[in-house]
Amino acid sequence: MLGLNVTAPPAVSPPPGKEQQAAGVGILLQISMLVLSFVVGHVLRRHKFYYVPEASASLIIGLLVGGLANISDTETSIRRWFNFHEEFFFLFLLPPIILYPTKHMLKLLFIILLLAPKPFFSNFGAIVTFAILGTFIASVVTGVLVYLGGLTFLMYKLPLVECLMFGALISATDPVTVLSIFQELGTDVNLYALVFGESVLNDAMAISLYRTMSSVQSHASSGQNFFLIVVRFLETFVGSMSSGVGVGFISALLFKYAGLDIDNLQNLECCLFVLFPYFSYMLAEGLGLSGIVSILFTGIVMKHYTFSNLSEKSQHFAAAFFHLISSLAETFVFIYMGFDIAMEQHRWSHLGFIFFSIIFIGVARAAHVYVCANLVNMARPTSRQIPLKHQKALWYSGLRGAMAFALALQSVHDLPEAHGKTIFTATTAIIVLTVILVGGSTGTMLEALEVVGDGQDGALETIESNNGYIAPSYQEGTSSGSNLKMRLKEFHKSTTSFTALDKNYLTPFFTSQNEEEDVSGKTECPSYV
């Protein structure tokens, strides 16, 4: 008997009819949760109840359904048909979220770019500083503090590279909740521009940093030096950006010269406009680059050049279509996050890692905001400096969301099981706390900082009349002008040169509309906003 090989009988798969029925029940559950989330969000918004934002409501609904499934006999079947893979997120849910932000961001983008472009472009240098340099600072500070916390036995110990991976993924902000409250309460348009612009470019930077550190971690035995790490990061970021910009310019030329803006070709025009961003995304992924970075810059170029080459009906359709799928994707992600928290096996034994990570993230966010704000203010005249109360609002608006969740889910496969599970659990807890607690208190915080109450119309009129950023007056510094300050001012002047280059050469070359048509288009507000 000792020599016999006893094999277990093969598992009997359910009949095809039963599998179809189970799949239908799972899809029905997901649709029901989406419908409930949209209805609850509408009711909360209609009654101006800012303590439970729409993202928080979606997350809570997922928590409740997951909790009920967890204590019932249906956990296995529901979990089977409500499974969430990071590939599904990156390939299907994330592109519309990045390409065309959610409905609040879409309205904000319209206000900034069409009604008052000066706040966005006059703050473009600040946006790049916060998104690129700031995200790098936040990632490094978070990673180093988590590593030091492990060395001093304050929290679960992780290797330095894995700590930097955690710092990169947790630095991806998702201020959908904050921006929705900004929109409802009314606040300075420049603060809108900074929060919105940082969040868009921040995702690209965080993904590039995470992939770079993940590559370093997987090739740790090869002993890569610092120079090769920098080259790998630049290869990912610059290569992805170049491919995205290239696809965007090709689409602009195609729509300019192909003559698609006629009545009987509008369906073809809309189909091509929708497919180009996904082509950019898949092209970058196929080349081993970052599809998110690529589709981000494709969206920027297509919004600025290609969109104006579309017919009016196609512009309305494209905006409504991406508005629809981005809202569905964003809501589904928050529902799944709540569902996953209730049903996934998390490593809650390392509560110290979660507690100190939250503290370290707050410190890193402060270093991010105040260092970048001081650098920007050094390059600006006194009348255009970022006031302290706006810096505090920027610090408070650093919520974590879909991007951090997806990267944490991927880290479970990229890292050893115990380390990946610990990072995933900590990230999930941080997202819940920031979305529910911080997001729910955002309205109170804005009122305490006295940055609300300015309606959009008043803010736009103030900006147009003053030609730039409006901020409280401060006394000029008494220190002598340093080389750094002079270089920052020269960089600020270069943004004006790029605006002139775009107006005089790029826009005429890539678009078919003249300046008078653009102005008339800005004065007529499309109905989709």
Side-chain angles (χ1 to χ4, degrees):
M1 294 296 293
L2 293 178
L4 295 177
N5 293 325
V6 179
T7 58
V12 179
S13 59
K18 290 292 184 180
E19 283 201 13
Q20 273 190 340
Q21 182 181 8
V25 172
I27 295 174
L28 175 64
L29 175 64
Q30 297 173 35
I31 294 175
S32 301
M33 294 167 72
L34 283 170
V35 171
L36 182 61
S37 297
F38 282 117
V39 171
V40 171
H42 170 71
V43 172
L44 293 173
R45 187 171 60 254
R46 183 177 181 181
H47 291 83
K48 298 182 179 181
F49 189 77
Y50 304 119
Y51 297 103
V52 183
E54 295 175 62
S56 302
S58 301
L59 195 147
I60 292 172
I61 289 173
L63 274 171
L64 293 176
V65 174
L68 292 175
N70 206 8
I71 61 177
S72 67
D73 297 333
T74 59
E75 175 185 354
T76 303
S77 59
I78 291 180
R79 191 71 180 90
R80 180 181 179 184
W81 295 109
F82 206 87
N83 203 5
F84 184 85
H85 298 283
E86 62 274 12
E87 293 86 0
F88 173 72
F89 176 86
F90 279 108
L91 295 179
F92 295 100
L93 296 182
L94 192 57
I97 295 175
I98 293 294
L99 179 62
Y100 272 67
T102 54
K103 50 190 173 182
H104 300 294
M105 283 184 166
L106 180 62
K107 189 170 183 179
L108 167 63
L109 186 61
F110 171 78
I111 291 172
I112 291 175
L113 292 182
L114 298 185
L115 294 182
K118 290 181 181 178
F120 183 83
F121 290 109
S122 65
N123 287 295
F124 187 73
I127 290 172
V128 173
T129 302
F130 276 92
I132 305 300
L133 178 62
T135 303
F136 177 78
I137 292 174
S139 300
V140 173
V141 171
T142 302
V144 171
L145 289 177
V146 170
Y147 179 70
L148 294 177
L151 291 180
T152 55
F153 302 102
L154 291 176
M155 55 199 302
Y156 185 71
K157 185 178 179 180
L158 295 175
L160 177 60
V161 175
E162 296 180 9
C163 291
L164 293 174
M165 290 176 63
F166 174 67
L169 69 89
I170 207 63
S171 297
T173 59
D174 186 5
V176 174
T177 301
V178 175
L179 289 173
S180 65
I181 297 174
F182 278 7
Q183 185 68 37
E184 296 290 337
L185 297 180
T187 188
D188 187 81
V189 178
N190 296 283
L191 185 58
Y192 267 118
L194 288 175
V195 174
F196 169 76
E198 181 207 348
S199 66
V200 173
L201 296 177
N202 163 275
D203 288 343
M205 183 68 177
I207 290 176
S208 298
L209 287 173
Y210 176 85
R211 290 196 172 187
T212 302
M213 300 315 301
S214 177
S215 176
V216 173
Q217 191 270 341
S218 61
H219 298 86
S221 59
S222 61
Q224 292 180 330
N225 56 32
F226 179 77
F227 176 75
L228 292 178
I229 295 174
V230 173
V231 170
R232 186 175 296 274
F233 168 77
L234 292 177
E235 177 186 1
T236 301
F237 188 83
V238 177
S240 304
M241 179 182 66
S242 301
S243 65
V245 171
V247 172
F249 281 143
I250 292 173
S251 70
L253 292 175
L254 173 66
F255 283 95
K256 179 180 179 179
Y257 293 108
L260 300 175
D261 54 344
I262 55 179
D263 291 338
N264 59 342
L265 290 179
Q266 285 181 357
N267 289 337
L268 175 61
E269 186 182 29
C270 295
C271 290
L272 289 176
F273 188 82
V274 170
L275 291 175
F276 259 103
Y278 282 90
F279 173 79
S280 171
Y281 185 90
M282 297 305 174
L283 175 64
E285 290 291 331
L287 295 175
L289 302 173
S290 173
I292 297 302
V293 179
S294 180
I295 198 175
L296 168 64
F297 285 96
T298 299
I300 292 174
V301 173
M302 292 184 69
K303 173 64 180 178
H304 193 55
Y305 301 106
T306 312
F307 192 76
S308 61
N309 293 331
L310 298 178
S311 62
E312 184 178 353
K313 291 183 179 179
S314 297
Q315 289 181 356
H316 284 256
F317 172 81
F321 175 78
F322 284 111
H323 176 186
L324 170 66
I325 61 172
S326 63
S327 298
L328 289 171
E330 188 81 34
T331 304
F332 180 82
V333 168
F334 278 103
I335 289 175
Y336 181 81
M337 281 193 285
F339 190 88
D340 183 83
I341 292 169
M343 300 195 67
E344 191 72 32
Q345 294 182 353
H346 294 276
R347 296 181 64 87
W348 299 110
S349 58
H350 300 300
L351 294 178
F353 188 91
I354 299 173
F355 176 76
F356 285 105
S357 292
I358 295 173
I359 296 176
F360 295 156
I361 290 168
V363 173
R365 179 68 181 174
H368 170 178
V369 171
Y370 295 118
V371 169
C372 292
N374 285 324
L375 288 174
V376 171
N377 287 340
M378 290 174 64
R380 287 183 169 185
T382 305
S383 60
R384 299 188 61 246
Q385 292 188 351
I386 303 175
L388 183 60
K389 62 181 182 180
H390 285 191
Q391 297 178 34
K392 293 179 180 178
L394 284 168
W395 176 81
Y396 203 83
S397 63
L399 280 69
R400 271 64 179 178
M403 182 60 66
F405 179 79
L407 291 176
L409 194 62
Q410 184 173 328
S411 71
V412 175
H413 304 282
D414 294 340
L415 301 176
E417 181 178 0
H419 297 178
K421 282 287 186 181
T422 300
I423 289 177
F424 181 60
T425 301
T427 303
T428 304
I430 291 167
I431 292 172
V432 173
L433 291 175
T434 56
V435 170
I436 295 180
L437 298 182
V438 179
S441 61
T442 298
T444 305
M445 179 273 300
L446 293 176
E447 293 176 353
L449 292 177
E450 300 179 350
V451 296
V452 297
D454 298 329
Q456 293 295 340
D457 296 335
L460 295 176
E461 293 174 0
T462 302
I463 291 165
E464 291 296 331
S465 61
N466 290 277
N467 191 31
Y469 196 99
I470 305 302
S473 299
Y474 296 95
Q475 298 296 326
E476 291 281 0
T478 57
S479 60
S480 59
S482 61
N483 291 332
L484 175 61
K485 188 171 183 179
M486 294 300 295
R487 289 177 181 175
L488 289 173
K489 289 184 176 180
E490 291 176 0
F491 172 77
H492 177 68
K493 292 179 181 179
S494 66
T495 59
T496 306
S497 302
F498 175 77
T499 304
L501 173 67
D502 174 63
K503 179 180 179 181
N504 297 327
Y505 299 100
L506 295 180
T507 299
F509 182 76
F510 288 104
T511 64
S512 56
Q513 296 180 352
N514 56 32
E515 184 177 356
E516 287 76 18
E517 289 175 340
D518 289 338
V519 172
S520 64
K522 292 175 185 177
T523 58
E524 298 178 1
C525 300
S527 60
Y528 58 81
V529 179

